[in-house]
């Protein structure tokens, strides 16, 4: 047990009011959830970035609801205190309010997440309203919304023009007006974020959006250096876990090849009398599978 009180929606609002920064990380399995729990984060997002960082898809679009449910269930088993956010995958909410409510209920019922997140754009405000009316709290997401990155011109900073910033501000205000309890700002110039968050009452969580948001989120695999290759400018690496993992597995391979593994510490012993009896049997008999099956100890 962590000894911390579970993080609730009122607690998040309180943190924002008190200027106490909110921390959020993604998690996609039991071990990453345990790390988030033990590190004391406030919110854990089972993000659809899972598509890229753990399932190896080129974008977030292909990940299915079934896949998100499987990952979410594992995360739930590792969490005690952070608020767990389930990300609604592309295709699970856009088409109708009924679909959105059904999908949100499925995420909550089957994974145990307490709230859901959906990406803004198009019909999302209506969908968020419907889900909130059904009793499930919703986190909005504005700026760079990876599910619709193609329509946005790629994985690019959003709100860089006055017109773009107005649109972003309108999206955020609309999500707040339908009752979203928090809003993620992704890849937005810091000064634009600052100007918008001053006009919002709900907590905002930034990723590549500067320091003005009430909290910050990073993708688990990015911040720990589990992902390799190019990462967005806003990622700060706090560890190089990929290198440590490759190094560990390489040492294992080397030791298997050189015969240094397993050593005495890693093997099970057997009573010498049992071993002797076994060897005696083998010396007496020519062992076949049938005989081994029939064999019974003499005493
Ligand atoms: O899916 C995700 O991980 C996200 C974060 C980048 C906020 O939406």
């Amino acid at each position: 047990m962590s000894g911390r009180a579970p993080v609730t929606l009122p607690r998040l609002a309180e943190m924002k009011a008190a200027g106490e920064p909110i921390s959020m990380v993604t998690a996609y399995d039991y071990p990453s959830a345990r790390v988030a729990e033990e590190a004391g984060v406030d919110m854990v997002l089972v993000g659809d970035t899972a598509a890229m960082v753990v399932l190896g898809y080129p974008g977030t679009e292909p990940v299915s609801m079934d896949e998100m449910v499987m990952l979410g269930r594992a995360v739930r088993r590792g969490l005690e205190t952070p608020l767990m956010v389930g990300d609604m995958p592309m295709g699970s909410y856009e088409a109708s309010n009924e679909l959105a409510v059904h999908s949100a209920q499925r995420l909550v019922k089957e994974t145990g997440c307490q709230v859901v997140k959906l990406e803004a754009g198009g019909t999302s405000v209506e969908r968020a309203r419907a889900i909130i009316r059904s009793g499930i709290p919703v986190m909005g997401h504005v700026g760079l919304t990876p599910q619709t990155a193609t329509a946005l011109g790629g994985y690019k900073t959003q709100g860089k023009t006055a017109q773009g910033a107005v649109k972003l501000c309108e999206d955020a205000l609309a999500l707040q007006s339908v009752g979203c309890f928090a809003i993620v700002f992704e890849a937005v110039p810091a000064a634009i974020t600052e100007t918008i968050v001053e006009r919002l009452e709900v907590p905002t969580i930034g990723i590549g959006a500067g320091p003005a948001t009430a909290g910050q989120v990073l993708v688990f695999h990015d911040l720990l250096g589990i992902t390799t290759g190019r990462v967005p400018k806003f990622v700060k690496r706090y560890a190089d876990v990929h290198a440590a993992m490759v190094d560990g597995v390489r040492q294992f391979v080397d030791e298997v090849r050189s015969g240094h593994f397993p050593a005495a510490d890693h093997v099970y012993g057997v009573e010498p009398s049992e071993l002797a009896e076994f060897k005696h049997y083998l010396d007496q008999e020519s062992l076949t599978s049938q005989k081994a099956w029939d064999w019974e100890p003499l005493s």
Side-chain angles (χ1 to χ4, degrees), residues 8 13 19 43 45 53 56 78 81 94 99 125 148 152 159-160 180 184 192 195 199 207 220 256 259 271 274 295:
T8 58
M43 280 194 278
L45 168 68
V53 297
T81 47
E94 302 88 337
L99 176 67
V125 172
T148 43
L152 296 175
K160 281 177 91 170
C180 286
V184 169
I192 300 295
T195 313
R199 288 161 175 77
I207 176 162
F220 186 88
V256 167
E271 282 298 324
E274 295 294 335
W295 182 73

Side-chain angles (χ1 to χ4, degrees), residues 24 26 28 45 47-49 87 117 119 141 184 186 207 217 219:
M24 175 160 113
T26 62
Y28 314 107
L45 168 68
D48 65 354
T49 38
D87 214 0
K117 176 171 88 57
E119 294 188 2
H141 182 156
V184 169
E186 179 166 353
I207 176 162
V217 55
V219 168

Side-chain angles (χ1 to χ4, degrees), residues 124-145:
S124 295
V125 172
E126 268 319 297
R127 304 299 171 253
R129 188 204 304 269
I131 297 168
I132 293 163
R133 281 194 174 154
S134 82
I136 297 174
V138 174
M139 174 180 264
H141 182 156
V142 299
L144 172 56
T145 44

